[in-house]
Amino acid sequence: MIEIRPVSYEDEEYDSCGNTTHAVLKVDRITIPLCGDCLQELNESLKQFNNTIFCYKCSNFIMSKW
């Protein structure tokens, strides 16, 4: 399960950049504190990933017969 949530009292006060934690990304049992800059960077990365056309979706893609 993947979720992003606001910071709570139990979370780390600072993220890996050394900035104040604004949100927490939780993937299964892994918890990643994120500052405002890291949160924005993650958001931009997700937008770029969602707008990427991978080769098999390209109109010029020709599947190999083998």
Side-chain angles (χ1 to χ4, degrees):
M1 181 173 151
I2 300 173
E3 73 173 318
I4 191 157
R5 61 174 174 75
V7 67
S8 69
Y9 291 111
E10 300 146 0
D11 297 318
E12 294 184 39
E13 188 175 349
Y14 302 103
D15 72 343
S16 62
C17 300
N19 297 325
T20 304
T21 302
H22 289 264
V24 175
L25 175 65
K26 188 170 181 181
V27 181
D28 293 324
R29 290 177 279 160
I30 300 169
T31 303
I32 304 169
L34 301 169
C35 67
D37 293 338
C38 290
L39 188 58
Q40 183 64 32
E41 188 176 328
L42 175 62
N43 192 27
E44 292 299 320
S45 286
L46 287 171
K47 283 181 189 176
Q48 183 178 2
F49 178 82
N50 288 331
N51 292 329
T52 301
I53 298 173
F54 293 96
C55 194
Y56 68 91
K57 293 182 180 179
C58 179
S59 63
N60 298 320
F61 179 72
I62 300 171
M63 184 173 282
S64 173
K65 295 176 185 178
W66 299 277

